[in-house]
């Protein structure tokens, strides 16, 4: 146990949309440098959890701390400063459809840095190559496959070298080989750059590779949490079902 400030901390977070209670008193500590996978059935609040961490949603009660700061309380320049520490890959990639793939990746650099044009382009091209999309800089997002859009979204999430990467189903829609390559990219980021990872996934083989810790959400609560070995021994039926869905292992 370290006394360092966690990268992310949820303290008794509850969130409802109308009558629908999505998060119900969720508490979670993500130490800096840790890789966490969030699992759970569809509609259980995984994407909502990520949106709280980046401040796109705010809890009805409880607190979300990013590197010790209550993100819901931040505005303007303070919010921007904390958000720059976070890369977010949306579940549906969320590329801007009117600018090229490369300019999507370059966008955060153009917005937040004063780097010269050629350097911005070079960095965006490098990121595209890392996700296997070299030679796609000038294509439009609509001309990419779903899996390629996802990877372009990941490149954009990484271009500012975030301390914390939130990735919502990074390997969804990818073939197993490409999915494995994306997993390796994320593992390398975690190992070499020390990037904190919070990855939502349905893919148990990915979770086994990526996650120092797996967190199962169900009906708004964390029903199980621990490393792969401990969750393989879990006697919670839903957790057993998930862990056994690993047919490729
Ligand atoms: N902005 C919103 N307004 C109203 N309801 C919302 C909003 N965002 C999410 N919800 C609802 O909250 C619940 C949880 O949604 P969420 O997107 O977090 O699910 P998920 O666990 O990511 O599911 P999936 O695995 O299918 O992506 C769903 O019932 C969803 O309809
Ligand atoms: Mg989701």
């Amino acid at each position: 146990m370290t006394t360092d400030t966690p990268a992310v901390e949820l303290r008794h977070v509850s969130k409802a949309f109308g009558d629908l209670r999505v998060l119900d008193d969720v508490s979670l500590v993500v130490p800096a440098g840790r890789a966490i996978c969030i699992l759970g059935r569809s509609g259980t609040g995984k994407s909502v959890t990520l949106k709280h961490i980046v401040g796109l949603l705010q809890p009805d009660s409880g607190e979300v701390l990013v590197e010790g700061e209550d993100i819901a309380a931040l505005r303007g320049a303070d919010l921007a400063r904390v958000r720059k520490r976070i890369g977010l890959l949306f579940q549906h990639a969320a590329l801007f459809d009117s600018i090229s793939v490369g300019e999507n990746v370059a966008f955060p650099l153009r917005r937040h840095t004063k780097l010269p044009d050629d350097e911005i382009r070079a960095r965006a091209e490098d990121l595209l190559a890392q996700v296997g999309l070299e030679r796609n800089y000038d294509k439009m997002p609509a001309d990419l496959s779903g899996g390629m859009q996802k990877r372009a979204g990941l490149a954009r999430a990484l271009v500012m070298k975030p301390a914390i990467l939130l990735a919502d189903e990074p390997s969804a829609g990818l073939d197993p080989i490409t999915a494995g390559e994306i997993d390796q990219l994320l593992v390398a980021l975690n190992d070499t750059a020390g990037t904190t990872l919070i990855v939502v996934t349905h893919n148990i083989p990915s979770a086994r590779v990526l996650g120092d810790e797996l967190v199962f959400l169900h009906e708004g609560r964390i029903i199980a949490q621990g490393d792969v070995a401990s969750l393989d021994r879990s006697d919670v039926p839903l957790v057993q079902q998930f862990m056994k869905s690993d047919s490729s292992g």
Side-chain angles (χ1 to χ4, degrees):
M1 205 43 213
T2 146
T3 54
D4 290 347
T5 309
V8 172
E9 183 172 1
L10 276 65
R11 286 190 185 155
H12 302 290
V13 170
S14 293
K15 179 71 173 180
F17 298 104
D19 290 340
L20 181 69
R21 218 161 212 276
V22 177
L23 298 179
D24 182 11
D25 195 23
V26 170
S27 293
L28 176 66
V29 176
V30 184
R34 178 86 48 101
I36 299 257
C37 288
I38 301 179
L39 300 105
R41 300 188 62 174
S42 186
T44 205
K46 303 182 298 295
S47 297
V48 164
T49 300
L50 294 191
K51 287 175 187 166
H52 275 81
I53 295 169
V54 77
L56 290 173
L57 289 172
Q58 303 189 342
D60 297 331
S61 59
E63 285 180 325
V64 178
L65 307 181
V66 177
E67 297 180 330
E69 295 192 79
D70 178 358
I71 187 129
L74 299 177
R75 299 284 177 274
D78 287 326
L79 180 60
R81 171 177 50 77
V82 175
R83 275 201 179 146
K84 263 193 260 178
R85 308 269 306 154
I86 307 174
L88 172 59
L89 169 61
F90 286 94
Q91 187 164 1
H92 301 289
L95 299 176
F96 305 116
D97 54 15
S98 62
I99 57 176
S100 72
V101 171
E103 283 305 309
N104 263 277
V105 178
F107 185 82
L109 294 173
R110 295 210 187 281
R111 182 153 184 184
H112 297 298
T113 76
K114 293 188 167 60
L115 290 173
D117 219 53
D118 51 346
E119 198 166 317
I120 286 179
R121 180 159 177 130
R123 266 170 78 169
E125 277 177 342
D126 178 48
L127 260 300
L128 282 172
Q130 285 188 43
V131 298
L133 290 177
E134 52 280 278
R135 292 187 300 281
N136 286 281
Y137 194 103
D138 294 312
K139 281 196 185 147
M140 296 306 283
D143 297 329
L144 298 188
S145 72
M148 291 164 84
Q149 290 179 16
K150 199 79 204 235
R151 284 182 280 151
L154 180 59
R156 185 177 62 186
L158 292 176
V159 78
M160 295 286 291
K161 301 191 169 95
I164 302 166
L165 176 69
L166 312 178
D168 203 340
E169 301 191 21
S171 51
L174 302 183
D175 66 84
I177 295 166
T178 311
E181 288 168 359
I182 295 298
D183 288 344
Q184 288 312 319
L185 173 66
L186 296 178
V187 167
L189 271 172
N190 182 242
D191 283 352
T192 59
T195 309
T196 305
L197 301 180
I198 303 179
V199 178
V200 170
T201 183
H202 285 118
N203 186 330
I204 292 292
S206 285
R208 289 180 183 280
V209 172
L210 283 176
D212 300 326
E213 189 175 351
L214 276 45
V215 174
F216 277 82
L217 270 182
H218 188 60
E219 293 179 345
R221 290 178 167 265
I222 293 175
I223 59 161
Q225 182 174 4
D227 62 15
V228 167
S230 74
L231 291 172
D232 276 331
R233 293 191 303 268
S234 169
D235 50 17
V236 179
L238 182 87
V239 176
Q240 286 181 352
Q241 276 177 300
F242 259 93
M243 297 307 287
K244 285 185 185 140
S245 68
D246 181 1
S247 53
S248 69

